Amino acid sequence: MSKKHLGVNTICAHIGEIKDEQFKGAVSPIYMSTSYAFEDVAVKRYPRYFNTPNQEFVSKKIAALEHAETGMIFGSGMAAISTVFLAFLKAGDHIVVQNTLYGGTSNFIREEFPKYGIEFTFTKGYAVSDFEAAIQSNTKLIHIETPSNPLMTVTDIKAVAQLAQSKSIKTTIDNTFASPINQIPIDLGIDIVIHSATKYLGGHSDILAGAVACTEKDRETIWNVAKNLGGSLSDFMVWMLERSLKTLKLRVKKQNKNALKMARFLSAHNAVKKVYYPGLRTHPQYDLAKAQMKGFGGMLSFELHDNYDASKFQKALQLIKPSMSLAGVESTMLSPYLTSHALLTQEQRDALGISNGLIRFSVGIESVKDLKADIEQALSKLH
């Protein structure tokens, strides 16, 4: 059967599995070997070459979900994104970067690119005109993230892709927050899709991984750098990732539904000053999000009124976990200024609108009434 005609849940469950020819097991076997034969074989396999059986096959699942020709699995999201950047940029080149994005990506660019002689410009905003204004004669790459971390800004993927194509510039996107269930950037013209697979692709807060989906040609360019940097993933973790991907759509659909309900609940709450969620009609890019996304995602952010302490509120939670990461089946909250964007200066965070009172909320699969009750009890303890 052609992958193009399979449903998403079927792709999640079946594409990229390794058939157990010996024992006929229902799930892929794990090939833990770090040493493979080199004579009389079609492929010389080695973990650092991203081509062990488990690495190779789960990459096919990622590629199928992202409508890409091929994919790669990395040891972390930052291993994936840094490798891609270094694969397409060299000394004297320039990259245009969206100004609202994951703090680790921003920090990598600011800290490492000057060492390589790579020039960069962060856009003033996230409209297409902001990207066009930042392009220079030596621009080789445009990088976007939508919805963005942590303010859930939405960038017009198709418009940015068309702008880049008109100037022969490569495009990359961090699709972590949306996941391929909610958004297919390649269908909108993006060249390379990047994930922190630790998040929705893994989905159970027990995997650290990264992923890339792209053309065969771009993969070759990325691989030539990746094999030197060594950011591969162990086969046990690759196997864990395949296990998790089988339920990706089931999890994300539930998280989408819960997040919309929680965003509406918080928006109507008298203790809440502002809610950032692309599924709310009050979101400035609601129409754009509706046009380019199949679902609005499980991530939102909000700010309490000034008479509520964000830290004390999170400590008072009993069900929702104050926790560093996101996208697990369990709901979590954190303060970006202390975690995901702690590497930025206060001035940089202020410029982006990331206040010290901002709370990022990763909505899980729990009963919504229980999530609401936990927030209410936590708020009641602050007065």
Side-chain angles (χ1 to χ4, degrees):
M1 296 176 67
S2 170
K3 289 186 293 185
K4 293 181 179 179
H5 299 106
L6 295 178
V8 176
N9 277 324
T10 306
I11 292 173
C12 288
H14 292 285
I15 296 299
E17 65 179 352
I18 302 174
K19 294 191 181 300
D20 182 357
E21 301 289 358
Q22 185 174 5
F23 298 109
K24 311 300 180 185
V27 300
S28 298
I30 307 176
Y31 292 89
M32 294 293 288
S33 180
T34 58
S35 183
Y36 290 85
F38 66 92
E39 291 186 318
D40 302 320
V41 293
V43 178
K44 293 182 173 64
R45 300 186 185 275
Y46 188 61
R48 186 169 57 80
Y49 291 168
F50 299 81
N51 65 356
T52 62
N54 293 98
Q55 290 172 340
E56 176 188 335
F57 276 76
V58 80
S59 294
K60 293 179 180 179
K61 192 186 296 287
I62 302 287
L65 288 168
E66 286 288 5
H67 298 183
E69 291 179 3
T70 187
M72 291 180 71
I73 302 298
F74 288 81
S76 69
M78 282 308 302
I81 205 162
S82 59
T83 301
V84 170
F85 284 170
L86 294 176
F88 290 96
L89 297 168
K90 64 183 186 304
D93 288 343
H94 175 260
I95 179 175
V96 174
V97 188
Q98 182 177 312
N99 70 341
T100 52
L101 78 167
Y102 173 55
T105 303
S106 176
N107 188 67
F108 171 76
I109 291 168
R110 296 178 193 276
E111 292 289 322
E112 303 302 328
F113 279 9
K115 302 175 186 176
Y116 292 90
I118 298 170
E119 300 172 14
F120 57 90
T121 300
F122 285 90
T123 61
K124 291 183 178 180
Y126 43 92
V128 178
S129 57
D130 293 307
F131 288 91
E132 187 165 20
I135 291 174
Q136 300 179 9
S137 60
N138 58 337
T139 301
K140 295 295 189 292
L141 192 64
I142 294 177
H143 178 71
I144 65 175
E145 179 181 308
T146 180
S148 71
N149 182 0
L151 294 174
M152 312 302 151
T153 61
V154 178
T155 302
D156 191 329
I157 299 172
K158 188 174 184 179
V160 171
Q162 289 176 338
L163 169 66
Q165 288 166 2
S166 72
K167 298 179 181 295
S168 300
I169 297 171
K170 188 74 67 178
T171 50
T172 58
I173 185 173
D174 186 331
N175 202 33
T176 298
F177 270 24
S179 88
I181 304 306
N182 290 325
Q183 187 169 272
I184 307 292
I186 285 175
D187 288 354
L188 298 173
I190 294 293
D191 295 308
I192 300 166
V193 178
I194 306 169
H195 285 273
S196 170
T198 308
K199 312 306 191 298
Y200 286 105
L201 302 190
H204 294 80
S205 304
D206 56 7
I207 294 170
L208 179 68
V212 169
C214 57
T215 63
E216 293 280 1
K217 181 180 179 180
D218 283 343
R219 185 194 186 280
E220 184 69 17
T221 301
I222 296 166
W223 180 81
N224 281 327
V225 174
K227 72 181 190 296
N228 295 328
L229 297 181
S232 58
L233 186 64
S234 77
D235 287 299
F236 177 72
M237 297 308 291
V238 174
W239 183 89
M240 290 275 284
L241 180 59
E242 188 205 347
R243 171 220 60 180
S244 297
L245 283 164
K246 291 182 178 183
T247 61
L248 177 62
K249 184 175 181 179
L250 300 177
R251 291 184 281 105
V252 170
K253 292 272 284 185
K254 177 62 174 174
Q255 287 163 309
N256 287 348
K257 186 176 180 180
N258 279 2
L260 181 57
K261 290 180 179 179
M262 293 307 298
R264 288 171 175 166
F265 164 74
L266 290 167
S267 293
H269 203 289
N270 57 16
V272 177
K273 180 172 26 176
K274 189 169 184 179
V275 177
Y276 304 85
Y277 185 66
L280 293 177
R281 293 183 182 276
T282 53
H283 190 285
Q285 292 91 42
Y286 169 76
D287 290 335
L288 174 59
K290 190 176 180 181
Q292 71 184 23
M293 300 181 75
K294 300 175 183 178
F296 297 112
M299 297 299 303
L300 62 95
S301 293
F302 65 98
E303 293 176 272
L304 298 171
H305 283 295
D306 295 340
N307 56 325
Y308 290 91
D309 186 287
S311 179
K312 289 180 179 178
F313 163 72
Q314 290 175 80
K315 289 178 181 177
L317 294 166
Q318 296 177 351
L319 180 66
I320 301 168
K321 294 177 170 62
S323 188
M324 284 279 287
S325 197
L326 60 97
V329 292
E330 68 288 335
S331 292
T332 60
M333 289 186 185
L334 59 72
S335 296
Y337 90 99
L338 292 173
T339 55
S340 62
H341 291 71
L343 295 174
L344 302 184
T345 66
Q346 184 69 53
E347 183 180 3
Q348 288 168 340
R349 288 192 297 268
D350 289 343
L352 295 173
I354 302 171
S355 70
N356 289 358
L358 184 72
I359 298 170
R360 194 184 71 192
F361 186 6
S362 172
V363 184
I365 65 170
E366 303 95 337
S367 168
V368 167
K369 70 178 179 62
D370 295 331
L371 296 176
K372 291 178 179 179
D374 193 30
I375 289 172
E376 292 287 14
Q377 69 80 26
L379 288 170
S380 69
K381 292 178 179 178
L382 303 186
H383 289 280

